[in-house]
């Protein structure tokens, strides 16, 4: 703006539009909008845009000198069309993301030529830009029968599986009371029904909870978020609405932040999981509490693990594979998850060392037919009917 350049700042959702209005006002940036429900002034040098509104108006607006794409990992066809249009008109495009990879594992090289990486999550925690955290992993739902679609669990099957697991929903309440009672909590769920079941389970336990989603009326959404910030509601239960870019302080107009999360939404998408973890990690002087009921810590490691980001596509992983760099342990007593060690650093419980007993028997050596042995092993694996049999 100071250099008399025209620019767009594009966000994927209306909730982020409201946040950016406050930010632009804080920095005294005069702006107009390309967003449904907001006034458009074609002469304004800065436009705040929502992707859904912008894609339908590309032929009616003047391309900017520079376009900033916030949360650029999110969005497919509409964002493809916008970026292609901007490139055809010579605009400079700058993408912003804490997780520079599409939700399905595709790299951002299809849109961008260079990547400039900021500091790691661990550095941000150590230097007090983000809060530290404690991670508990009490549940490991069996998802082995679910189909994989576009790099993640099939939504309908996953929602049905998690809606039916009332024990897991109950555990979400139990471990919130045990580890994070009265902290402002966000519960990530797989469907509206799942979120409403979870909210009801919290209320049955005497904890004020409320479903909030994209289908919630805007005035009602504002009321719920304000009540949450005031601790009148202690747990918000949602699907994707709060999973990225959500800033409680900005939405509520108060200096307040999410303090804990109950994760009941399994995902094979690293960007999606990192975005969820990001909600309770906003800066505060005490650790956030992460209750992982979806076993997302298993494939994705810790929120602060060092990760190498590139513009290339992520190599497709087979079901059940894990590329975790550092091995973790989960305490069998309190479910605190930590770097592999014999003693839990949270409750002090010592894991007993399992010694294998060796039985000595008389015998003679015989030649091993490797091909027969391999065939027998394959048959044994094929005959396994339970997880325990397969592990044995």
């Amino acid at each position: 703006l100071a250099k008399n350049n025209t620019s767009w700042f594009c966000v994927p959702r209306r909730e982020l539009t409201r946040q950016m209005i406050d930010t632009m006002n804080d920095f005294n940036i005069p702006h107009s909008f390309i967003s449904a429900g907001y006034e458009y002034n074609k002469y304004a040098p800065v436009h705040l845009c929502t992707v859904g509104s912008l894609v339908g108006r590309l032929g009616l607006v003047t391309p900017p000198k520079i376009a900033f794409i916030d949360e650029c990992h999110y969005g497919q066809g509409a964002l493809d069309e916008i970026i292609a249009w901007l490139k055809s008109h010579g605009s400079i495009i700058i993408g912003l993301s804490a997780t520079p990879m599409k939700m399905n594992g595709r790299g951002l090289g299809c849109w961008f030529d260079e990547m400039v990486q900021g500091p790691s999550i661990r550095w941000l925690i150590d230097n007090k830009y983000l809060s530290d955290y404690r991670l508990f992993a009490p549940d490991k739902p069996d998802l082995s029968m679910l189909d994989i679609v576009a790099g993640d669990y099939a939504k309908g099957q996953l929602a049905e599986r998690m809606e039916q697991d009332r024990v897991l929903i109950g555990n979400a309440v139990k471990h919130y009371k045990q580890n994070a009672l009265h902290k402002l909590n966000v519960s990530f769920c797989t469907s509206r029904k799942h979120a409403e079941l979870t909210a009801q389970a919290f209320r049955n336990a005497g904890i004020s909870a409320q479903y909030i989603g994209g289908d919630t009326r805007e005035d009602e959404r504002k009321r719920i978020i304000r009540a949450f910030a005031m601790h009148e509601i202690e747990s918000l239960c949602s699907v994707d609405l709060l999973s990225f870019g959500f800033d409680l302080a900005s939405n509520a107009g108060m200096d307040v932040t999410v303090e804990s999360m109950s994760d009941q939404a399994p995902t094979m998408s690293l960007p999606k999981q990192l975005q969820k973890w990001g909600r309770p990690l906003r800066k505060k002087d005490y650790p956030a509490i992460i209750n992982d009921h979806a076993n997302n810590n298993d494939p994705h490691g810790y929120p602060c693990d060092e990760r190498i980001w590139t513009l290339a596509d992520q190599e497709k992983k087979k079901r059940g594979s894990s590329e975790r760099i550092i091995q973790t342990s989960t305490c069998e007593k309190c479910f605190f998850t930590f770097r592999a060690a014999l003693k839990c650093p949270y409750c002090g419980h010592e894991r007993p060392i399992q010694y294998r007993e060796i039985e000595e028997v008389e015998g003679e050596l015989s030649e091993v037919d490797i091909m027969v042995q391999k065939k027998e092993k394959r048959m044994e694996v094929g005959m396994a009917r339970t997880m325990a049999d397969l592990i044995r």
Side-chain angles (χ1 to χ4, degrees):
L1 177 64
K3 294 179 179 180
N4 296 316
N5 287 325
T6 56
S7 63
W8 289 353
F9 194 95
C10 306
V11 297
R13 288 180 175 169
R14 290 175 59 84
E15 292 75 29
L16 300 185
T17 303
R18 291 193 292 271
Q19 290 181 193
M20 280 308 304
I21 290 172
D22 293 337
T23 302
M24 288 192 172
N25 289 337
D26 288 343
F27 284 90
N28 297 314
I29 299 174
H31 57 279
S32 181
F33 301 89
I34 305 176
S35 181
Y38 293 94
E39 185 179 350
Y40 168 64
N41 175 5
K42 68 178 180 178
Y43 299 109
V46 178
H47 284 90
L48 178 54
C49 317
T50 49
V51 169
S53 297
L54 177 59
V55 70
R57 305 183 191 181
L58 291 177
L60 306 175
V61 295
T62 303
K65 174 75 173 179
I66 301 177
F68 297 91
I69 312 293
D70 194 26
E71 307 289 352
C72 65
H73 59 274
Y74 185 83
Q76 300 294 329
L79 198 51
D80 259 328
E81 190 174 338
I82 290 169
I83 289 177
W85 186 85
L86 288 167
K87 286 185 175 181
S88 71
H89 287 82
S91 298
I92 298 169
I93 306 169
I94 298 176
L96 308 171
S97 176
T99 54
M101 177 192 297
K102 290 187 180 183
M103 293 297 192
N104 60 7
R106 294 288 306 277
L108 297 179
C110 58
W111 292 336
F112 302 99
D113 303 311
E114 301 287 345
M115 181 187 291
V116 180
Q117 295 194 42
S120 68
I121 293 178
R122 184 71 260 170
W123 186 94
L124 292 168
I125 291 173
D126 292 342
N127 288 273
K128 311 302 181 185
Y129 290 96
L130 294 176
S131 75
D132 212 334
Y133 62 90
R134 291 173 178 162
L135 193 153
F136 300 84
D139 294 298
K140 296 182 183 295
D142 181 9
L143 307 173
S144 58
M145 301 301 291
L146 302 189
D147 293 332
I148 305 300
V149 179
D152 209 346
Y153 298 111
K155 285 187 177 181
Q157 294 178 13
L158 178 63
E160 184 178 3
R161 166 70 181 83
M162 302 305 284
E163 289 163 7
Q164 293 173 352
D165 198 332
R166 302 305 171 90
V167 172
L168 193 149
I169 292 173
N171 282 350
V173 178
K174 171 185 173 183
H175 288 276
Y176 168 76
K177 294 178 71 173
Q178 181 176 306
N179 300 323
L181 186 61
H182 301 314
K183 292 186 183 296
L184 294 178
N185 184 68
V186 171
S187 291
F188 292 107
C189 304
T190 57
S191 66
R192 172 170 181 169
K193 179 181 177 181
H194 186 207
E196 289 179 334
L197 288 170
T198 300
Q200 187 60 55
F202 271 93
R203 290 194 293 270
N204 291 343
I207 298 160
S208 178
Q210 181 71 52
Y211 163 76
I212 185 172
D215 53 351
T216 306
R217 286 197 331 269
E218 190 164 337
D219 58 337
E220 178 67 3
R221 202 182 302 172
K222 289 180 180 178
R223 184 198 68 77
I224 291 171
I225 290 174
R226 181 74 177 178
F228 182 59
M230 298 285 290
H231 281 261
E232 295 168 4
I233 296 173
E234 290 184 319
S235 186
L236 291 184
C237 304
S238 186
V239 184
D240 290 325
L241 180 68
L242 310 177
S243 61
F244 67 87
F246 176 74
D247 183 351
L248 176 60
S250 178
N251 276 270
M254 299 169 57
D255 185 14
V256 63
T257 185
V258 175
E259 298 170 299
S260 72
M261 65 177 274
S262 301
D263 193 358
Q264 299 180 83
T267 180
M268 299 179 73
S269 169
L270 174 61
K272 185 181 292 186
Q273 186 57 34
L274 285 170
Q275 290 290 334
K276 288 192 291 179
W277 280 333
R279 296 320 99 208
L281 293 184
R282 288 189 180 271
K283 181 181 177 181
K284 48 190 163 290
D285 296 330
Y286 46 91
I289 302 298
I290 299 174
N291 287 317
D292 182 3
H293 301 279
N295 197 33
N296 283 322
N297 170 249
D298 224 21
H300 301 305
Y302 283 99
C304 64
D305 280 350
E306 295 293 335
R307 294 177 173 88
I308 299 173
W309 299 102
T310 74
L311 292 173
D313 293 350
Q314 182 185 41
E315 185 177 344
K316 290 186 178 181
K317 293 188 289 186
K318 296 179 180 179
R319 179 193 294 274
S321 68
S322 175
E323 294 181 0
R324 183 168 26 189
I325 298 171
I326 301 173
Q327 188 178 2
T328 62
S329 295
T330 299
C331 177
E332 60 189 26
K333 185 176 181 181
C334 74
F335 303 105
F336 184 66
T337 301
F338 51 95
R339 308 291 183 194
L342 294 178
K343 185 176 181 179
C344 174
Y346 185 68
C347 72
H349 175 71
E350 291 192 19
R351 184 176 61 188
I353 300 174
Q354 299 291 336
Y355 293 101
R356 295 174 62 186
E357 294 184 1
I358 299 175
E359 181 182 1
E360 294 185 9
V361 296
E362 293 289 338
E364 292 184 4
L365 295 179
S366 59
E367 186 176 359
V368 175
D369 187 325
I370 294 176
M371 298 309 294
V372 170
Q373 192 178 66
K374 285 184 176 181
K375 182 178 179 181
E376 290 174 350
K377 287 184 177 181
R378 285 197 300 271
M379 290 175 63
E380 188 178 3
V381 169
M383 293 170 64
R385 289 294 175 264
T386 67
M387 180 63 75
D389 288 344
L390 185 60
I391 291 172
R392 279 196 295 269

